[in-house]
């Protein structure tokens, strides 16, 4: 078969498109890897409250990721070590913090406050982060995607917010 010039261009174009699409798909599947197989359920079932580890949400904008020193208060014990728990002791001994990868992170141009939502607004963690109590694997993606649309759709139902679309509320 003899291809005309325009047909070869079309084939080349389709070929390039396929490459771009597959690269995008691969990049999206490249999920975040966390350094330790952290299990929220096991800790919550052992009555460790959220604020034992996330110490800031009642008083500041942030919730806070626990430092290795918080982990070592319970995992100093060298009996019953498993490979995952041994990693905590190694980081601690080497004076390093555990390099957790952040999953929820608002861009710099967005103002968000945990204290305001939790103390004043009485919003539950799971409304923005999904059911954490039953998680057995660490976070690798946002369970509830915290997009602008989602923030606004909740604010539409909040009585104390008169104009939920006002940009400067969230963008300073
Ligand atoms: C207040 C006490 C406490 C703190 C603080 C704590 N843990 Fe635990 N952790 C436990 C208990 C209780 C268990 C369940 C019994 C066990 O396996 O030791 C556990 C189990 C684990 C396990 C084993 C889980 C499994 O699936 O077998 C890992 C890994 C772990 N914790 C990591 C951490 C990390 C990382 C931190 C710091 C971010 C931390 N823990 C902070 C009490 C704690
Ligand atoms: C109204 C939505 C909302 C609620 C409710 C909420 N969060 Fe968040 N959370 C966010 C957003 C948005 C971020 C990203 C914040 C940023 O980058 O400044 C975040 C980030 C975090 C982080 C990452 C560390 C940090 O300090 O930013 C943790 C941990 C966290 N939240 C825990 C909690 C816990 C625990 C609760 C309940 C006590 C809770 N969140 C309730 C929206 C929420
Ligand atoms: C023993 C300590 C501990 C307790 C208790 C704990 N967390 Fe966490 N949390 C962590 C650690 C460590 C991470 C980072 C690893 C991961 O993603 O699982 C984390 C991650 C998170 C994140 C994602 C943060 C981000 O953006 O990367 C959210 C949301 C969160 N926790 C909410 C909660 C809620 C809600 C509770 C109570 C139901 C809770 N946590 C109890 C230690 C704890
Ligand atoms: C599930 C419901 C819910 C979601 C989701 C939510 N909010 Fe809110 N937000 C509230 C409530 C309730 C208040 C009111 C607190 C009060 O009583 O002042 C509030 C108040 C605020 C305020 C202060 C409003 C003012 O002008 O006084 C800001 C800023 C804000 N939210 C930002 C955000 C951002 C950014 C997001 C998304 C990342 C978000 N919120 C997601 C429920 C929500
Ligand atoms: C309730 C809080 C809230 C309000 C009100 C709000 N935004 Fe946003 N906006 C966000 C959050 C959170 C993000 C980051 C997450 C995302 O990209 O959806 C964002 C992102 C953006 C972005 C960047 C989008 C991108 O793709 O990078 C622009 C532009 C923007 N907002 C413009 C506006 C304008 C214009 C208004 C007023 C008409 C407005 N926002 C009102 C919370 C809000």
């Amino acid at each position: 078969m003899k291809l005309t010039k325009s047909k070869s261009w079309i084939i080349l174009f389709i070929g390039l498109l396929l490459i771009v699409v597959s690269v995008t798909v691969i990049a999206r599947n490249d999920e975040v890897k966390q350094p330790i197989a952290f299990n929220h359920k096991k800790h919550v079932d052992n009555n460790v409250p959220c604020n034992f580890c996330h110490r800031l949400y009642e008083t500041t904008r942030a919730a806070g990721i626990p430092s290795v020193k918080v982990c070592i208060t319970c995992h100093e014990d060298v009996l019953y070590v498993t490979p995952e728990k041994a990693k905590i002791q190694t980081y601690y001994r080497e004076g390093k913090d555990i390099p957790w990868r952040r999953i929820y992170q608002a861009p710099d141009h967005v103002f968000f406050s945990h204290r305001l939502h939790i103390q004043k607004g009485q919003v539950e963690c799971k409304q923005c982060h999904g059911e954490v109590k039953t998680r057995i694997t660490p976070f690798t993606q946002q369970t509830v995607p915290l997009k602008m649309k989602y923030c606004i759709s909740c604010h539409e139902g909040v009585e104390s917010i008169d104009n939920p679309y006002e940009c400067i509320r969230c963008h300073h």
Side-chain angles (χ1 to χ4, degrees), residues 105-107 109-112 117 145-153 155 161 163-171:
Q105 194 150 33
H109 56 83
V110 172
F111 174 83
F112 177 80
H117 283 85
L146 285 181
K147 290 285 169 205
M148 178 161 107
K149 245 184 25 203
Y150 183 67
C151 312
I152 293 176
S153 71
H155 287 181
I161 299 180
N163 178 5
Y165 314 104
E166 205 171 36
C167 316
I168 55 155
R169 170 169 296 116
C170 304
H171 297 288

Side-chain angles (χ1 to χ4, degrees), residues 9-74:
W9 277 114
I10 290 174
I11 290 172
L12 183 68
F13 178 73
I14 292 175
L16 283 176
L17 198 68
L18 282 178
I19 293 171
V20 170
V21 169
S22 40
V23 166
T24 318
V25 169
I26 291 165
R28 289 187 111 217
N29 281 343
D30 183 26
E31 267 200 353
V32 167
K33 281 212 172 67
Q34 295 287 12
I36 296 178
F38 185 74
N39 181 329
H40 271 91
K41 182 171 189 298
K42 220 163 223 181
H43 290 87
V44 175
D45 288 352
N46 277 287
N47 301 315
V48 189
C50 308
N51 67 3
F52 193 92
C53 292
H54 304 294
R55 297 188 164 179
L56 305 173
Y57 59 76
E58 282 150 349
T59 49
T60 75
R61 288 175 58 174
I65 296 286
S67 81
V68 67
K69 293 192 188 103
V70 173
C71 313
I72 210 74
T73 56
C74 298

Side-chain angles (χ1 to χ4, degrees), residues 84-112:
E84 291 304 307
K85 288 194 269 184
K87 289 186 194 168
I88 302 172
Q89 294 167 356
T90 307
Y91 283 118
Y92 184 69
R93 245 193 343 265
E94 293 174 353
K96 290 189 194 136
D97 226 332
I98 304 169
W100 302 111
R101 301 275 304 272
R102 281 282 299 272
I103 304 301
Y104 288 92
Q105 194 150 33
D108 284 344
H109 56 83
V110 172
F111 174 83
F112 177 80

